[in-house]
Amino acid sequence: MTGHDVVVIGAGPAGLAAAATAADAGCRVALLDAGPRPGGQYWRHRAGADGREHQEWSTFAGLRARLHRVDRRADAAVWFVESHPGAEAAGPGFAVHTGAGVVHGRRLVIATGAHDRVVPFPGWELPGVVTAGGAQALLKGQGVVFGQRVVVAGTGPFLLPVATGLAGAGSTVVGVYEANDLAGYVRRFRQVLGAAGKLTEAGRYGWQLLRHRVPYHHRMAVVAAHGTDRLTGLTVAAVDARGAVLPGSESQVECDGLAVGFGFTPQVELPVALGCATRLDGDGSLVVDVGPDQATSVPGVYAAGEVTGVGGAGLALVEGQLAGGAAAVSLGRPLPWSTGRQDRLLRTRHRLRRFAAALHAVHPVPARWPDRCDDDTLVCRCEEVSVGAVRQAVRELSASDARGAKLLTRAGMGWCQGRVCGYATACLTAREAARRPGAADLAGYASRPLAQPITLSELAAGQAADQPWRPRRSGTADG
């Protein structure tokens, strides 16, 4: 079989580290990414950016410089991966399908990252309400602020860079509303102390909030958005430890933009399609289960970064190095570093995973968020499915899991294929069934034949996986 030794999917921190490491070990590496430039969401940037507005830009620049031996393909969204036909005799092999062709490899590293986790509330579908990651992507990728008077709300440390970025770019940030109590960090002091650099980073964000006079509120949440054809204001309220609104605490905030985020959902469609084992992580996300060397349950497939558990860029970089090194060793290449450095990487991964677990414990999605949704609140915007329809599917139509609710209501069958509404629908279904959402609920939305949108003409034009993919011209006999 001709092709590459290692194919890396995703050019964020984990993917860049995996590709550079495997290439340093002497492997022929292909790096595929849907974006026009490497960096992923963390290092998203405009053409010609000098990186002054980005965290750890020197790390990115160093990784990018090591890609000169890598076959890097931009604008190459991967929509399907399969075991390569006839490759079993020579060991694992894979055919990776993109809109621009098929790439073959003997080993596969999946570093597809994560997207915003969405929790609905009345009015969240109004123009002017965006995810926190969407707000940051517009700012980093196009230099655009999505509103002039904005609120940043939800839970998690990601709210801080979003708020400071918007304030620095000229938006008036009315306030940051964190749904949880930061006192939880005190109870996890040892886990937090193990990542002292993160404390320094948090301090920098705190100083920027002070400098821009941005109020920071904890144990407060957005419970409704208001407006007709666009966002004009919010109702915010104090909440208890489970996210229930404290009566009489509601107040109104005028704004034209809301960036809201409740953590991230790992993009596990490709590993699920390959049959990789998954598990529920501490934040309730479905993640790929990996061993000490980042190997999945499928021979020849490795995973790194947010797909193995949301933990930030530092953890993703470490896991990417371990995955790239392990893939190279499995092909008979030597590790491009000493045993001592390997041990340090393993210790660092352990320490950063402990820190990530502390973040998940301090910033859970508030359990009582469904109480803020009346039956008319939309949960699936693509198919216009309401919260009430999901509740009815369980109460009256005997839906017992998220897959059943999906089939009965069409929640998750629209343009986004459940990426936006899948988590919320799974939680609503489980709540109505008087149980906690499980891995099977989330797997129902992660299992997709096509991992990325692709046109029917591209599908029709595709050839067999062991041949180069070439689009056919329309108007021909076989077009």
Side-chain angles (χ1 to χ4, degrees):
M1 183 184 71
T2 60
H4 298 83
D5 295 318
V6 180
V7 177
V8 179
I9 304 175
L16 289 173
T21 300
D24 290 345
C27 296
R28 297 169 298 166
V29 179
L31 175 61
L32 313 178
D33 191 74
R37 289 174 289 278
Q41 172 71 349
Y42 187 69
W43 286 312
R44 184 187 293 270
H45 59 281
R46 302 186 295 279
D50 59 12
R52 285 179 294 181
E53 71 277 23
H54 293 276
Q55 293 287 336
E56 301 178 18
W57 184 261
S58 61
T59 301
F60 168 69
L63 287 169
R64 185 173 56 181
R66 292 164 59 192
L67 299 181
H68 62 278
R69 294 190 300 271
V70 172
D71 177 12
R72 187 176 71 83
R73 305 190 185 187
D75 299 312
V78 176
W79 57 268
F80 188 61
V81 178
E82 61 184 331
S83 298
H84 193 279
E88 291 79 4
F94 305 93
V96 182
H97 297 257
T98 78
V102 181
V103 181
H104 303 292
R106 298 169 62 192
R107 299 293 185 270
L108 190 64
V109 178
I110 299 177
T112 43
H115 54 77
D116 289 271
R117 182 163 55 191
V118 175
V119 171
F121 52 89
W124 73 291
E125 73 277 9
L126 280 169
V129 180
V130 303
T131 63
Q136 192 182 59
L138 284 171
L139 185 58
K140 286 184 173 182
Q142 283 80 40
V144 173
V145 294
F146 75 102
Q148 294 303 311
R149 182 177 172 85
V150 303
V151 167
V152 179
T155 189
F158 184 59
L159 303 182
L160 298 179
V162 174
T164 56
L166 290 170
S171 290
T172 299
V173 180
V174 182
V176 177
Y177 293 85
E178 162 64 55
N180 288 292
D181 190 346
L182 303 188
Y185 283 113
V186 178
R187 296 190 294 272
R188 295 165 180 83
F189 178 73
R190 290 186 178 180
Q191 291 171 271
V192 174
L193 191 61
K198 295 293 184 180
L199 297 178
T200 303
E201 182 179 342
R204 288 198 300 267
Y205 288 133
W207 166 246
Q208 291 179 52
L209 290 179
L210 286 173
R211 187 165 64 88
H212 291 288
R213 299 181 180 179
V214 177
Y216 185 93
H217 311 272
H218 65 93
R219 280 278 176 87
M220 291 196 72
V222 173
V223 297
H226 309 293
T228 51
D229 57 346
R230 63 181 180 85
L231 178 70
T232 57
L234 306 168
T235 298
V236 299
V239 295
D240 65 15
R242 290 178 55 79
V245 174
L246 300 181
S249 66
E250 297 89 346
S251 61
Q252 305 300 310
V253 178
E254 291 185 4
C255 61
D256 63 358
L258 168 64
V260 61
F262 289 89
F264 299 93
T265 297
Q267 298 193 111
V268 297
E269 295 88 351
L270 293 176
V272 166
L274 285 167
C276 298
T278 57
R279 61 178 177 83
L280 275 185
D281 204 14
D283 63 346
S285 296
L286 188 72
V287 300
V288 181
D289 196 17
V290 294
D293 59 353
Q294 302 297 134
T296 72
S297 61
V298 175
V301 180
Y302 301 81
E306 312 291 53
V307 291
T308 68
V310 175
L315 178 58
L317 285 167
V318 172
E319 290 187 347
Q321 293 176 72
L322 291 170
V329 169
S330 73
L331 294 169
R333 306 296 202 283
L335 270 177
W337 53 61
S338 66
T339 303
R341 182 179 173 187
Q342 179 80 359
D343 291 340
R344 288 194 297 273
L345 285 172
L346 293 172
R347 289 194 299 270
T348 301
R349 180 180 62 184
H350 175 72
R351 174 171 52 81
L352 292 177
R353 280 183 175 174
R354 280 173 51 86
F355 178 73
L359 294 185
H360 297 332
V362 175
H363 299 281
V365 177
R368 298 286 297 275
W369 69 261
D371 295 344
R372 307 172 200 163
C373 301
D374 56 31
D375 282 348
D376 292 332
T377 302
L378 287 183
V379 62
C380 173
R381 299 196 301 186
C382 299
E383 294 294 314
E384 297 185 348
V385 179
S386 67
V387 169
V390 175
R391 289 169 174 161
Q392 183 184 32
V394 179
R395 295 172 183 172
E396 302 177 18
L397 304 178
S398 301
S400 59
D401 56 20
R403 184 174 183 275
K406 177 181 179 180
L407 293 174
L408 289 168
T409 66
R410 293 192 57 82
M413 292 188 180
W415 283 98
C416 81
Q417 288 291 287
R419 288 176 178 84
V420 174
C421 67
Y423 173 82
T425 303
C427 291
L428 284 169
T429 305
R431 182 183 176 88
E432 291 299 319
R435 60 176 177 80
R436 301 182 66 179
D441 293 303
L442 298 175
Y445 284 95
S447 179
R448 303 186 187 97
L450 306 181
Q452 295 289 338
I454 184 171
T455 65
L456 289 175
S457 62
E458 288 174 321
L459 276 176
Q463 297 181 351
D466 60 345
Q467 299 178 15
W469 183 95
R470 294 187 181 89
R472 295 169 179 163
R473 295 189 300 271
S474 61
T476 60
D478 58 354

